[in-house]
Amino acid sequence: MSSADIGVTGLAVMGRNLARNFARNGYTVAIHNRSYARTQELVDQFGNEGSFVATETVAEFVKSLRRPRKAMIMVQAGTATDTVIEALAEHMEPGDMIIDGGNAHFADTRRREAALRKRDLLFVGTGVSGGEEGALLGPAIMPGGATEAYASLGPMLESIAARAADGTPCCSHVGPDGAGHFVKMVHNGIEYSDMQLIGEAYDLLRRGIGLEPRRISEIFAEWNKGELDSYLIEITAEVLAHTDAETGSSFVDVIVDQAAQKGTGRWTVQNALNLGVPVTGIAEATFARALSSGNVQREAARQLAGPNPAEHEVSEDMIDDVRQALFASKIVAYAQGFDQIAAASAEYDWNIDLGACASLWREGCIIRARFLDRITEAWGANPALGSLLAAEEFSSAIAQTQDSWRRVVATAARVGVPTPGFSSALSYYDGLRSERLPAALIQGQRDFFGAHTYRRIDKDGTFHTDWSGDRSELSL
Ligand SMILES: NC(=O)C1=CN([C@@H]2O[C@H](COP(=O)(O)OP(=O)(O)OC[C@H]3O[C@@H](n4cnc5c(N)ncnc54)[C@H](OP(=O)(O)O)[C@@H]3O)[C@@H](O)[C@H]2O)C=CC1
Ligand SMILES: O=C(CO)[C@H](O)[C@H](O)COP(=O)(O)O
């Protein structure tokens, strides 16, 4: 019987909870998983939460959906997603829709959307953020795909999405084909950057000042009451307050200090390199995870000289400086992420509304933060800002924090605590505001060794100096 409003296949952490979220919101949900055990488990544990149609085969799953069908995939990105799409498509009919809510690469989404369009099937690649809890109670949802697809799917997604304080659903059509997955990828890149900055703040308080995790937890909890108010700061306070039951030690002290990554941060940086957008914070965060996991190099370098700690005591006065450095660096991280979205939007003709994009991240997602209201307003007031850093409220916020920021970066260098996030954010800020950059010298060097030419500040045209001859200038 074709009775389900929507289907979810892939019932691990995300799929299971999204299926429950749809059911709790009154939809009849067909459920399917490669191995039936997960389907049975969902029905056994949560079957009473709403209307589920449990299915064992893909054919049965597709058949159980009301036409035009909507089937959502929540499986691993890459070949697993291609396999599931193909299996679904074989049983679908023209006008049916496949929605991929996994963390797919946006280029794969563009390819899949185009291929399925040729088969008269709609394909929506959508970012979903919020982890297990968000998927169940209301994630941030970033759908791409055709406008026509959003017309029928959008209301369903909006009904299960998180809501901002003003009641707006944290879900809206981001743009065509891969735009949704692109925005989710950059969301994850900012997530990497934000987590790295928080890690550096922790490290400065721990190794720089010498505070214990429980005290640092209290500091983060306090910071979470102000302009740093965000989900990541909130959970940081929780993690730092946690005690390991087995050893009685601070939980953070029993975790191996090697940060894993599934790929979205790396994809963001790779794409930023292609687009020529300096997302230095995301790049440093991604490399910092790689450095932490580089066993061979860490082992080889462990005995290298550092500053004498006795000569470099840091007082508790620095705590508030660290808070301010964190806020300034965080503004830079978001500014860089929005630059990348703007560049991709122009490159792929997506016409992404940056204000609407910021609005999507206000609740439900991992990078949700109080200051996203202000970012939404800033882009809404002036979509041609050029850089988020140029918005009055952020330029004045940084003007107020920059002395602290500079002190923190200088202190970190002095005491030997690595702060690639704080330092690169400050360098980026100083680079942008510089009247003149040493890029002029680099152009001179390029022209010297490779006749790569340069432009002049005082006249139009392209020039080359005859470096190996009489050093006269040629206008090309
Ligand atoms: N976990 C998170 O916090 C978030 C995850 N995501 C993304 O959502 C998607 C789902 O994530 P998550 O719930 O963590 O699950 P996983 O990424 O761990 O994927 C597990 C699911 O994929 C299925 N699967 C794997 N390979 C295949 C295949 N070849 N054919 C069919 N099914 C397959 C598994 O089926 P089986 O049970 O049979 O093994 C299982 O249902 C991923 O793309 C992830 O990147 C997005 C936001 C947050
Ligand atoms: O998409 C997510 C949150 O938004 C996932 O949790 C993602 O897996 C996190 O990335 P990584 O595992 O690389 O830290």
Side-chain angles (χ1 to χ4, degrees):
M1 192 177 63
S2 310
S3 62
D5 302 304
I6 191 159
V8 178
T9 179
L11 302 175
V13 177
M14 294 300 286
R16 179 175 65 239
N17 286 294
L18 280 173
R20 290 173 63 197
N21 189 345
F22 277 119
R24 286 169 167 208
N25 277 283
Y27 298 107
T28 295
V29 189
I31 49 174
H32 173 265
N33 194 68
R34 176 176 60 177
S35 47
Y36 186 69
R38 285 194 200 267
T39 313
Q40 188 62 55
E41 199 179 292
L42 200 166
V43 172
D44 291 347
Q45 289 184 16
F46 308 109
N48 60 351
E49 288 185 351
S51 175
F52 294 101
V53 181
T55 62
E56 289 199 46
T57 64
V58 174
E60 206 188 321
F61 173 66
V62 172
K63 208 169 156 201
S64 72
L65 298 168
R66 205 153 34 78
R67 294 208 61 206
R69 303 179 174 97
K70 295 181 186 66
M72 186 160 189
I73 302 174
M74 291 307 295
V75 305
Q76 279 156 12
T79 50
T81 302
D82 278 316
T83 306
V84 176
I85 289 172
E86 194 45 47
L88 289 172
E90 272 175 29
H91 298 281
M92 286 189 150
E93 295 168 86
D96 288 350
M97 189 191 305
I98 297 176
I99 306 126
D100 176 18
N103 276 336
H105 193 290
F106 77 97
D108 284 338
T109 303
R110 284 164 66 82
R111 169 179 58 78
R112 289 165 183 153
E113 202 263 348
L116 289 173
R117 199 168 349 111
K118 285 191 189 142
R119 295 162 75 171
D120 286 329
L121 296 174
L122 290 163
F123 183 72
V124 173
T126 181
V128 178
S129 179
E132 183 170 9
E133 189 184 89
L136 179 63
L137 303 176
I141 309 179
M142 297 148 244
T147 311
E148 166 198 1
Y150 194 78
S152 64
L153 176 68
M156 294 180 82
L157 295 181
E158 287 175 22
S159 68
I160 65 153
R163 283 182 184 267
D166 63 7
T168 318
C170 293
C171 170
S172 61
H173 187 220
V174 172
D177 57 76
H181 272 141
F182 189 91
V183 165
K184 175 67 197 317
M185 178 186 80
V186 175
H187 163 287
N188 281 25
I190 294 173
E191 177 181 302
Y192 274 50
S193 197
D194 213 343
M195 291 167 78
Q196 172 65 22
L197 293 169
I198 293 171
E200 290 174 19
Y202 156 75
D203 211 12
L204 283 162
L205 302 186
R206 184 84 193 264
R207 287 201 283 163
I209 303 180
L211 304 178
E212 286 304 311
R214 190 158 281 279
R215 167 92 172 95
I216 303 173
S217 162
E218 289 163 6
I219 291 168
F220 275 106
E222 193 55 37
W223 289 355
N224 202 40
K225 294 177 187 159
E227 59 196 1
L228 280 172
D229 178 356
S230 63
Y231 173 71
L232 284 170
I233 296 276
E234 179 192 327
I235 64 165
T236 302
E238 299 250 5
V239 172
L240 289 173
H242 187 57
T243 303
D244 175 51
E246 202 173 316
T247 59
S249 306
S250 252
F251 172 68
V252 72
D253 288 340
V254 300
I255 302 179
V256 174
D257 60 341
Q258 297 182 346
Q261 48 182 317
K262 288 189 179 143
T264 46
R266 187 173 63 244
W267 292 347
T268 314
V269 178
Q270 286 168 338
N271 171 266
L273 289 170
N274 291 341
L275 292 173
V277 181
V279 292
T280 55
I282 301 170
E284 288 294 354
T286 308
F287 283 130
R289 289 194 189 192
L291 184 150
S292 76
S293 306
N295 289 336
V296 175
Q297 292 81 5
R298 285 184 73 185
E299 197 47 51
R302 211 173 289 280
Q303 302 306 325
L304 298 184
N308 179 354
E311 290 172 15
H312 298 288
E313 280 200 6
V314 183
S315 85
E316 292 205 8
D317 293 348
M318 197 180 68
I319 296 173
D320 199 58
D321 276 350
V322 173
R323 178 186 65 78
Q324 299 202 51
L326 178 53
F327 187 57
S329 304
K330 194 174 156 114
I331 295 171
V332 168
Y334 281 71
Q336 293 181 341
F338 279 103
D339 286 347
Q340 186 170 354
I341 292 172
S345 180
E347 174 77 14
Y348 302 110
D349 255 337
W350 283 334
N351 201 20
I352 296 176
D353 177 333
L354 298 183
C357 186
S359 165
L360 292 182
W361 295 341
R362 288 184 296 170
E363 284 297 337
C365 67
I366 304 297
I367 63 169
R368 61 184 181 263
R370 188 201 287 188
F371 88 145
L372 272 159
D373 278 332
R374 290 157 67 187
I375 298 179
T376 305
E377 281 164 25
W379 284 121
N382 183 6
L385 261 179
S387 166
L388 188 64
L389 299 179
E392 213 289 310
E393 56 188 322
F394 293 115
S395 58
S396 58
I398 291 186
Q400 280 166 28
T401 59
Q402 65 157 325
D403 288 348
S404 296
W405 198 8
R406 294 180 195 285
R407 271 196 299 274
V408 166
V409 169
T411 303
R414 196 165 45 79
V415 301
V417 173
T419 53
F422 285 167
S423 309
S424 68
L426 182 56
S427 290
Y428 175 84
Y429 174 75
D430 283 334
L432 282 193
R433 62 173 200 85
S434 292
E435 188 63 38
R436 291 277 294 162
L437 288 168
L441 176 59
I442 291 170
Q443 285 297 81
Q445 293 165 330
R446 290 179 71 244
D447 191 58
F448 189 104
F449 64 66
H452 292 299
T453 76
Y454 52 89
R455 287 181 293 123
R456 295 181 57 101
I457 59 167
D458 51 1
K459 51 186 170 189
D460 288 339
T462 305
F463 301 90
H464 168 60
T465 291
D466 182 10
W467 294 103
S468 54
D470 64 1
R471 306 211 163 180
S472 60
E473 186 175 74
L474 305 171
S475 173
L476 304 170

